[in-house]
Amino acid sequence: MGLSPQITNLIIILGMMQVAKKIPFEDESVLNLCRAGYIASNLIILSIYLYIQSTINKKKDLTTLKYVEPAPMGSSEEGKLVTTTVQAYDLAQLKNLMRSQMMGVLMMGVMHLYFKYTNPLLIQSIIPLKGALEANLTKIHVWGQPASGDLKRPFKQPAGFMSALQSGAAQSDKKAVESAERAGRGGAKEE
């Protein structure tokens, strides 16, 4: 088993910070090359996500997926039962990935264009691309891995230092789903 994605991200960030110290960002041609690398990285990520979207739509997997969505943090309510299809679930997950990427581009744009930070261009050219290549949807729809184990839907939230603050993972075991159905919690069908 290899290193966890968080550890490899940390290694990449620390390494790129050292590399960034040696790069002459004052030189306009070097700066434009870094900008081009950042743009190219984001275009690759976009093309991966669009390919995944076309694959999801081609497969049209209408298998019913039931799971109990955890209640919002700090809420006394119980989780909500969600009934959807694999296709709708994958498209919703893909939408979240795209939204997250666009927020990153927006933040990088503000940091670079408004605050004139240049070093993050290097790190943000690599880390999001690595994340897109390691995403669960990429593993299933691009690399062809079976949707079992860690890739079983609904996907488990990746463990991180913020995971303790969030409510638990979605539950898809039969007992939790039946309990939510009996309690009449949710049952909202997502199309």
Side-chain angles (χ1 to χ4, degrees), residues 99-118:
R99 183 180 303 132
S100 153
Q101 184 60 30
M102 291 304 121
M103 288 300 294
V105 169
L106 184 65
M107 287 175 58
M108 188 63 228
V110 169
M111 286 175 58
H112 180 63
L113 299 174
Y114 185 73
F115 293 113
K116 306 293 185 214
Y117 289 126
T118 53

Side-chain angles (χ1 to χ4, degrees), residues 25 31 34-35 108 111-112 116-122:
F25 285 111
L31 183 58
C34 287
R35 289 174 178 156
M108 188 63 228
M111 286 175 58
H112 180 63
K116 306 293 185 214
Y117 289 126
T118 53
N119 293 5
L121 280 174
L122 286 176

Side-chain angles (χ1 to χ4, degrees), residues 2-111:
L3 294 173
S4 76
Q6 290 89 355
I7 299 295
T8 55
N9 284 352
L10 185 62
I11 292 169
I12 290 170
I13 289 170
L14 293 174
M16 292 310 291
M17 285 172 61
Q18 296 306 312
V19 170
K21 289 179 183 177
K22 309 263 189 262
I23 296 176
F25 285 111
E26 305 80 38
D27 184 357
E28 194 68 28
S29 62
V30 172
L31 183 58
N32 286 335
L33 197 60
C34 287
R35 289 174 178 156
Y38 178 73
I39 292 168
S41 169
N42 281 288
L43 290 175
I44 292 169
I45 292 168
L46 179 63
S47 64
I48 289 169
Y49 289 164
L50 291 175
Y51 174 77
I52 290 171
Q53 183 179 24
S54 72
T55 306
I56 292 169
N57 290 330
K58 260 188 232 162
K59 285 182 182 178
K60 281 201 186 330
D61 189 351
L62 300 177
T63 307
T64 301
L65 177 66
K66 289 184 178 183
Y67 61 94
V68 178
E69 199 172 74
M73 187 178 76
S75 171
S76 61
E77 299 173 6
E78 293 187 29
K80 179 178 85 170
L81 176 68
V82 177
T83 304
T84 186
T85 63
V86 169
Q87 179 184 15
Y89 180 80
D90 283 358
L91 288 172
Q93 293 297 310
L94 183 61
K95 184 179 176 182
N96 288 340
L97 287 173
M98 286 182 167
R99 183 180 303 132
S100 153
Q101 184 60 30
M102 291 304 121
M103 288 300 294
V105 169
L106 184 65
M107 287 175 58
M108 188 63 228
V110 169
M111 286 175 58

